[in-house]
């Protein structure tokens, strides 16, 4: 099956902005995960933070959510000290709560996520 969904990935200092544009199917989630892994493996910063900003249609299957959880574990093991997820709707919030790692937090606005990231001590 053709992959559906994609990620826009952009560094701003030691903060990676991730903007999933979906909906994602399983193949799209796997393709996006490979892109994410490659970017993290080739980064300059030892420690970094991530702000993921969802669009209204950024949702996926249970397999897709398993892939997202795998990505979040990977970034945590590779220097991510804070993950701020900006959700658009209650379905996204509910799904994210079930999978969010301990270094993650949910926000309804980008500005709140950025303030939380800025307020965290840097290593």
């Amino acid at each position: 099956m053709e992959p559906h969904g994609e990620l826009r990935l952009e560094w701003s200092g030691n903060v990676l902005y991730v903007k999933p544009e979906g909906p994602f199917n399983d193949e799209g989630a796997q393709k996006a995960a490979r892109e994410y892994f490659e970017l993290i493996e080739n980064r300059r910063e030892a420690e970094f933070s991530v702000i993921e900003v969802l669009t209204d249609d950024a949702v996926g299957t249970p397999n897709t959510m398993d892939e997202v959880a795998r990505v979040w574990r990977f970034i945590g093991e590779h220097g991510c000290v804070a993950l701020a997820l900006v959700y658009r709707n209650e379905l996204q919030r509910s799904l994210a709560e079930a999978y969010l790692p301990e270094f993650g937090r949910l926000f309804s606005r980008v500005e709140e996520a950025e303030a939380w990231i800025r307020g965290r001590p840097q290593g």
Side-chain angles (χ1 to χ4, degrees):
M1 184 178 280
E2 285 292 312
H4 294 284
E6 63 181 70
L7 290 182
R8 291 187 323 177
L9 303 161
E10 183 179 329
W11 286 105
S12 177
N14 68 341
V15 177
L16 176 62
Y17 282 81
V18 179
K19 297 179 180 174
E21 297 178 352
F24 283 80
N25 63 4
D26 295 346
E27 292 79 9
Q30 291 166 358
K31 178 180 179 276
R34 286 190 302 271
E35 293 169 359
Y36 208 149
F37 291 161
E38 184 177 324
L39 186 71
I40 296 303
E41 289 175 337
N42 293 315
R43 76 190 182 287
R44 293 184 204 147
E45 296 79 8
E47 290 186 348
F48 61 96
S49 298
V50 172
I51 298 176
E52 291 194 14
V53 182
L54 303 181
T55 58
D56 286 327
D57 63 348
V59 294
T61 68
N63 288 340
T64 299
M65 289 307 300
D66 288 342
E67 192 69 24
V68 168
R70 187 170 78 97
V71 168
W72 289 344
R73 282 191 305 274
F74 177 86
I75 66 173
E77 294 166 356
H78 288 84
C80 183
V81 295
L83 167 65
L85 181 75
V86 182
Y87 62 90
R88 292 278 196 228
N89 58 56
E90 288 303 309
L91 175 61
Q92 292 170 343
R93 184 191 59 74
S94 177
L95 285 171
E97 280 180 338
Y99 290 88
L100 202 64
E102 66 181 47
F103 60 91
R105 189 162 169 196
L106 297 171
F107 298 91
S108 60
R109 295 180 40 234
V110 172
E111 297 80 11
E112 295 169 340
E114 290 172 332
W116 179 67
I117 294 290
R118 279 192 308 271
R120 296 184 57 81
Q122 299 298 310

